[in-house]
């Protein structure tokens, strides 16, 4: 966390730059396989057309929508369990406000947006584990 004498940490300074995308028609199994392969807990779901919004599918979405619901992962499409529309974080937002936004929205992660493009993903877990917050 920044102090009066330290520079402000922005979302772009703390985000992961490795974003991974998936189509909403992909299966939950394909999503889980992609998460496992890239060692991430969330994927951005592609827009279906230019006026559409992105979605996000997370490990928690898969656990709730597939495992807890006792549904076969190869028979559940990503669009059925994803979160949409997505709450995004501006790349230049002060990390203190990023944390407040995520906590108030009751989410653990959000894509970071710069000039209308997703440039990374920020997570509460990463902020604690990499020492940004503590």
């Amino acid at each position: 966390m920044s102090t009066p004498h330290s520079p402000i940490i922005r979302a772009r300074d703390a985000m992961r730059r490795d974003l991974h995308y998936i189509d909403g028609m992909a299966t939950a199994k394909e999503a889980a396989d992609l998460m496992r392969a890239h060692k991430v807990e969330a994927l951005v779901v592609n827009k279906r057309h230019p006026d559409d919004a992105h979605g996000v599918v997370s490990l928690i979405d898969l656990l709730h929508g597939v495992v807890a619901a006792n549904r076969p992962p190869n028979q559940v499409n990503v669009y059925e369990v994803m979160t949409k529309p997505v709450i995004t974080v501006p790349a230049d937002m002060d990390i203190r406000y990023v944390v407040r936004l995520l906590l108030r929205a009751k989410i653990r992660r959000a894509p970071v947006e710069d000039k209308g493009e997703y440039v990374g993903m920020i997570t509460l877990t990463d902020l604690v584990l990499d020492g940004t917050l503590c």
Side-chain angles (χ1 to χ4, degrees), residues 9-129:
I9 299 170
R10 305 282 180 192
R12 76 168 57 84
D13 302 324
M15 70 183 186
R16 284 184 173 206
R17 297 186 191 305
D18 57 337
L19 273 180
H20 301 282
Y21 291 80
I22 193 163
D23 187 84
M25 292 301 292
T27 66
K29 179 169 182 353
E30 291 170 318
D33 290 344
L34 191 58
M35 287 179 196
R36 191 177 309 111
H38 293 288
K39 295 181 173 64
V40 296
E41 292 186 8
L43 304 168
V44 177
V45 181
N46 292 323
K47 294 179 177 185
R48 301 214 54 177
H49 54 80
D51 295 330
D52 195 8
H54 282 98
V56 169
V57 63
S58 70
L59 177 61
I60 298 298
D61 294 330
L62 295 179
L63 291 173
H64 283 291
V66 179
V67 178
N70 198 29
R71 297 174 69 192
N74 59 345
Q75 295 178 15
V76 177
N77 294 99
V78 167
Y79 76 84
E80 296 177 70
V81 296
M82 71 181 182
T83 301
K84 182 177 178 180
V86 178
I87 293 174
T88 62
V89 171
D92 62 347
M93 183 180 266
D94 184 314
I95 202 70
R96 295 172 296 179
Y97 301 116
V98 171
V99 171
R100 287 181 193 163
L101 172 65
L102 296 179
L103 291 174
R104 286 191 177 148
K106 297 183 178 158
I107 58 175
R108 296 179 193 173
R109 67 191 47 81
V112 177
E113 192 170 13
D114 190 26
K115 298 177 185 140
E117 297 291 323
Y118 291 168
V119 294
M121 183 77 71
I122 195 157
T123 75
L124 292 173
T125 303
D126 288 341
L127 293 174
V128 171
L129 294 180

